[in-house]
Amino acid sequence: MAQQPRAWQRMLSGRRLDLLDPTPVDIEIEDIAHGLAFVARWNGQTHGDYAYSVAEHSLLVETLFARINPKAPAKWKLAALLHDAPEYVIGDMISPVKSAVGPGYGALDDRLTAAIHIRFGLPAAIPKTVKQQIKKADKISAWMEATQIAGFSETEATRFFGKPDTGIIEDLAIVLRPPVETRNDFTARHAILLGEIS
């Protein structure tokens, strides 16, 4: 009988996360923050001395989401912070690669997202309206990243991501920092939001 291929990832916390059948008990925020701080957005094709990490992107998306929805409860801010959390084990793929991989990537992402949400007290699937608002913040972040560090002109970025309201992005800038700083800020923000939910 053929042995099944290994489908789990060993985490620095000691947890073994089954990527095909993830359970909330095997998810730790320290593993997520560490992984995301070392995953580069834009396949690393950005200006600067440090990669622009998914953790940094997630912090920006949560900030943008809160600006778009100033009365949003902490649980939806937490969902915004964790919107790309599965990438701590499956990496960040640019949209053209996701399309080429097909629906299997989306199904894997959905299973991981559900387990992560349950682990931190969120519903497995968040309401469609909240998901759309997070996606809006995500697109604004992508426009900022594209124009500030990924070499896109504003015209080109607007074609792909839409032009953001200047009031929402006012005084915000893309930050490139050592992974340890981003990891610590991501973990701290997660703790603050969890405290506000309790």
Side-chain angles (χ1 to χ4, degrees):
M1 187 169 162
Q3 187 177 4
Q4 291 290 334
R6 179 173 73 91
W8 53 268
Q9 164 77 46
R10 186 190 183 285
M11 301 292 146
L12 290 178
S13 65
R15 300 281 190 192
R16 285 189 181 190
L17 180 65
D18 185 333
L19 302 178
L20 301 181
D21 187 22
T23 59
V25 73
D26 289 323
I27 293 167
E28 300 291 347
I29 194 60
E30 292 80 11
D31 292 332
I32 293 173
H34 184 83
L36 294 183
F38 284 92
V39 174
R41 296 244 319 149
W42 304 92
N43 281 342
Q45 297 303 303
T46 52
H47 299 288
D49 294 330
Y50 296 102
Y52 185 72
S53 73
V54 175
E56 196 76 71
H57 162 77
S58 298
L59 287 162
L60 179 58
V61 168
E62 192 262 324
T63 297
L64 291 165
F65 174 81
R67 285 185 176 195
I68 294 167
N69 308 281
K71 295 183 179 177
K75 67 179 178 178
W76 300 142
K77 292 178 188 176
L78 180 60
L81 182 70
L82 296 172
H83 79 284
D84 278 341
E87 295 179 8
Y88 86 111
V89 286
I90 59 176
D92 180 40
M93 287 190 201
I94 59 173
S95 296
V97 175
K98 287 180 186 175
S99 297
V101 170
Y105 179 88
L108 179 63
D109 187 91
D110 289 344
R111 285 193 299 271
L112 285 162
T113 296
I116 290 164
H117 282 179
I118 292 167
R119 170 67 176 86
F120 300 114
L122 298 172
I126 61 173
K128 187 176 178 182
T129 53
V130 174
K131 198 168 187 175
Q132 289 171 337
Q133 292 166 343
I134 293 171
K135 188 65 183 170
K136 180 178 180 180
D138 194 34
K139 283 191 166 189
I140 294 169
S141 176
W143 185 90
M144 291 175 64
E145 294 162 24
T147 57
Q148 292 182 33
I149 58 171
F152 286 58
S153 69
E154 287 196 10
T155 302
E156 186 180 20
T158 299
R159 188 169 359 116
F160 290 114
F161 309 112
K163 176 81 172 174
D165 178 347
T166 52
I168 292 172
I169 63 172
E170 187 179 10
D171 77 9
L172 291 178
I174 298 301
V175 179
L176 299 171
R177 311 185 275 172
V180 65
E181 291 180 19
T182 310
R183 179 186 69 199
N184 292 344
D185 282 357
F186 185 95
T187 306
R189 185 63 185 149
H190 177 268
I192 288 167
L193 291 171
L194 269 187
E196 289 177 3
I197 293 170
S198 301

